[in-house]
Each structure stands twice: as structure tokens, then as C-alpha cells.
């Protein structure tokens, strides 16, 4: 049987059958246009299936009246959700909708030609243009919201990291303060010019000078060598960058007249650029050891009764 136009019934059926195939072809074309526009955690087949569902959404939107704009915005937001976030992704999507959606949507769900949809978009009409614009709008709004959410997440993560770093710094500083203040050895911090920045109570007791009287003074004024004249020379070499560390025994007479012997270690600490930052000095009071050595030396070489030199001397 033929219709008035001369086409057979089989021809008409073939012309309108399998509306899903048209949408599938449209979805495949859409997927190809999006290839390379961004990384998505889906395989190519999964992308096609994902876009197939949204192709149906777009086809339904053409006959949905004012509701089509909401449908278009939802599809645009869905692209962002799937991680198609690049400008190229929305550009190719818009071009694909304009070029192929009219044909894909020209068949209704019963397999019959949807005259309203076909006529409304046949020449790239207002409905199709408005729908494409709604997709762009939904894409833009979703991209903005996603970007703001990611920025807020990064800001919170950065703030949390800063707070954690500050807590670790304070904990480290607290431990250092405890060790610094309660150490059994004398500890002093000096700037790159050799002036005292900070000193603990043990060092102040060794030298017989109050802490407040040492701050800002040169180390040469505090540890003036009497038995080790090379101390100042080594310290100056340390400040000049000729060495990073030295250790020696030195002696100093305290203001109360007591001679104190020190095992002194000085180290230069450098910043991240390698420039001198500060000097840390650690002193151990070895006065008792030195006095014992001197007494043993004297007893081995002098007569205990007369005090005269013996044959060993």
C-alpha cells in the first residue's frame, strides 16, 4: 500500500523507526566531540551511555515549553559534574546540539514523527537556540559553584595546614625552651655579628654574670681567654665563614675572682640560602676536672711533706 505521496508503508516505517537509534547516534557524535576536552573517570563506552541519557533529556526539552530551559540547565550542570569543565567541552556541546539535536528529536517515543518538534527546530529555530543557551547557562553556574567550592576547600585545607604547622612550631619551641632553660650545660645564641641574643641561666652561672647584663654584648667580652689565646681567632674565623664549627678548652676569671674552665663548642647555623643566620654556643664547666688534673700533676712532681720538687719533676 502506498500513501498519497507515493511512499510505501514500509518506507514510512523505516523512516521513523528506531527513534532510540537517532538519539544514540547523537550521543555518539556528542561523545566524539568531547574527546580530549578533559579527563573524566569513565571509559569511552561509559561516556556514551552517560551522554545517551542526557540526549533523551535534551530531546524531551524541545517539546517541554518553558520547562526546556530547566532541562537545558540540568544537562549543562551534568557536564560539570562528570568533569567536562573546559571551555572546549561546552563549545563542542553547543555546536553538537545545534547541528544534530533537531534530527535526533524529530521522532517521538511511539516511533511517530513529532511534527511540533520537527517543525520547531527544522531551521535552527528559537527553541533550539534557547535550549543551547540554557545548557551554557547551567554549565557556567555549575562551573562557578564547583570552583568556589574547590577554592573554599583549598582555603580550609591551607588554613588547617597552617594551624597544624603553627601547633608543631609552638610545641617544638616549647620543648626547646624547656631544654634551653633546664639544661645542665650553658647555652647561648648569638647573631651573625657575635652579639648575644639569648643565654640560659646555666651559662650565666658559669660566667658569674646576670643574663640581662650579657644580652647584646660580644662574646669576646664574656669569654675572654686567659689560658687559650686562640679562642678569639677561631671565633672570628667562624663569623667570617671560614669554618662552621670549633671546640676547645678555655678559661675565664669571673667577676668574683674564681677561675672557671670551660669546654666550649661554637657552631654557625645557616639559613636556606646558606648565609650565616646565628651562632649557637654550648659550654660545659670542666673546672673540677681541670683542678683535679692540676692537683694530680702537682702531687706527682712535688714532695707532699716539704713541697719541694721531686726526682720526677
Amino acid at each position: 500500500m502506498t500513501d498519497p505521496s507515493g511512499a510505501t508503508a514500509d518506507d514510512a516505517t523505516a523512516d521513523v523507526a528506531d527513534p532510540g537509534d537517532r538519539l544514540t547516534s547523537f550521543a555518539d557524535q556528542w561523545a566524539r566531540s568531547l574527546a580530549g576536552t578533559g579527563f573524566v573517570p569513565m571509559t569511552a563506552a561509559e561516556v556514551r551511555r552517560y551522554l545517551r541519557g542526557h540526549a533523551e533529556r535534551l530531546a524531551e526539552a524541545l517539546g517541554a515549553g518553558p520547562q526546556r530551559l530547566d532541562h537545558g540547565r540540568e544537562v549543562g550542570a551534568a557536564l560539570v559534574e562528570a568533569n567536562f569543565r573546559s571551555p572546549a567541552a561546552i563549545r563542542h556541546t553547543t555546536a553538537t546540539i545545534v547541528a544534530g539535536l533537531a534530527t535526533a528529536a524529530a521522532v517521538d517515543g511511539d516511533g511517530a514523527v513529532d511534527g511540533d518538534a520537527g517543525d520547531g527546530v527544522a531551521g535552527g529555530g528559537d527553541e533550539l537556540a534557547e535550549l543551547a543557551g540554557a545548557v551554557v547557562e547551567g554549565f557556567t553556574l555549575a562551573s562557578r559553584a564547583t570552583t568556589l567550592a574547590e577554592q573554599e576547600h583549598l582555603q580550609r585545607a591551607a588554613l588547617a595546614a597552617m594551624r597544624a604547622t603553627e601547633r608543631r612550631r609552638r610545641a617544638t619551641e616549647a620543648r626547646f625552651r624547656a631544654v634551653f632553660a633546664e639544661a645542665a650545660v650553658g647555652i647561648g645564641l648569638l647573631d651573625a655579628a657575635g652579639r648575644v641574643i639569648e643565654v640560659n641561666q646555666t651559662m650565666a652561672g658559669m660566667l658569674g654574670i646576670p643574663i640581662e647584663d650579657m644580652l647584646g654584648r660580644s662574646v669576646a667580652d664574656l669569654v675572654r681567654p686567659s689560658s687559650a689565646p686562640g679562642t678569639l681567632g677561631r671565633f672570628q674565623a667562624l663569623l667570617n665563614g671560614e669554618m662552621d664549627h670549633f671546640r676547645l678548652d678555655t678559661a675565664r676569671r669571673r667577676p668574683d675572682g674564681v677561675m672557671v674552665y670551660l669546654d666550649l663548642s661554637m657552631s654557625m647555623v645557616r639559613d636556606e640560602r646558606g648565609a650565616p643566620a646565628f651562632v649557637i654556643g654550648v659550654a660545659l664547666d670542666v673546672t673540677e676536672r681541670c683542678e683535679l688534673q692540676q692537683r694530680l700533676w702537682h702531687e706527682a712532681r712535688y714532695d707532699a711533706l716539704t713541697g719541694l720538687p721531686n726526682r720526677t719533676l
Side-chain angles (χ1 to χ4, degrees):
M1 180 182 296
T2 60
D3 63 9
S5 65
T8 66
D10 292 340
D11 293 336
T13 302
D15 184 54
V16 299
D18 297 327
D21 289 346
R22 296 188 180 189
L23 289 177
T24 299
S25 297
F26 172 76
D28 291 345
Q29 179 185 356
W30 191 3
R32 287 193 298 271
S33 73
L34 292 180
T37 62
F39 172 78
V40 293
M42 291 187 286
T43 65
E46 289 172 337
V47 170
R48 288 194 297 270
R49 286 195 296 270
Y50 183 78
L51 296 179
R52 176 64 171 77
H54 292 294
E56 291 182 3
R57 188 72 166 162
L58 290 172
E60 293 171 359
L62 288 177
Q67 297 292 330
R68 65 178 174 275
L69 299 183
D70 291 336
H71 296 340
R73 295 186 190 103
E74 291 171 2
V75 171
L79 288 175
V80 175
E81 183 180 355
N83 211 40
F84 289 109
R85 302 182 185 180
S86 68
I90 189 60
R91 176 166 54 86
H92 290 314
T93 293
T94 304
T96 302
I97 289 174
V98 172
L101 184 60
T103 301
V107 179
D108 65 18
D110 296 328
V113 176
D114 186 348
D116 293 338
D119 293 340
V121 299
D126 293 341
E127 287 189 8
L128 190 60
E130 289 180 355
L131 180 61
V135 172
V136 174
E137 182 183 2
F139 178 91
T140 303
L141 293 175
S143 295
R144 182 183 304 170
T146 300
T147 300
L148 291 176
E150 290 176 347
Q151 289 177 344
E152 183 178 0
H153 175 74
L154 290 175
Q155 289 173 351
R156 289 182 177 180
L159 181 59
M162 290 174 59
R163 288 175 175 172
T165 300
E166 181 64 16
R167 286 195 296 269
R168 289 193 295 269
R169 186 192 66 78
R170 290 180 179 178
T172 300
E173 184 175 346
R175 289 192 294 269
F176 171 77
R177 291 293 176 189
V179 172
F180 184 85
E182 303 298 332
V185 297
I187 304 175
L189 300 179
L190 312 124
D191 62 20
R195 293 183 295 271
V196 177
I197 301 172
E198 199 166 359
V199 66
N200 68 354
Q201 186 58 51
T202 302
M203 179 72 84
M206 289 180 183
L207 302 180
I209 305 174
I211 293 177
E212 56 272 16
D213 291 345
M214 286 190 281
L215 299 180
R217 294 177 61 182
S218 169
V219 70
D221 297 333
L222 302 176
V223 186
R224 188 179 304 279
S226 58
S227 60
T231 303
L232 288 181
R234 293 191 182 186
F235 184 70
Q236 191 60 50
L238 184 72
L239 297 180
N240 293 339
E242 300 172 15
M243 62 175 66
D244 286 335
H245 174 82
F246 73 84
R247 180 178 179 181
L248 50 74
D249 289 337
T250 186
R252 184 187 186 280
R253 189 172 297 279
R254 301 191 319 191
D256 58 7
V258 175
M259 181 66 72
V260 60
Y261 297 88
L262 302 175
D263 179 351
L264 179 64
S265 176
M266 306 289 287
S267 299
M268 174 65 74
V269 178
R270 300 181 180 274
D271 61 20
E272 61 276 5
R273 298 185 302 274
F278 62 91
V279 176
I280 182 169
V282 178
L284 178 64
D285 189 344
V286 293
T287 301
E288 292 184 2
R289 186 188 71 189
C290 290
E291 290 178 346
L292 176 61
Q293 289 175 341
Q294 292 174 0
R295 185 167 66 251
L296 293 175
W297 187 92
H298 186 275
E299 290 176 355
R301 290 162 178 79
Y302 288 86
D303 184 80
L305 182 60
T306 64
L308 297 175
N310 59 20
R311 293 179 63 186
T312 301
L313 182 60

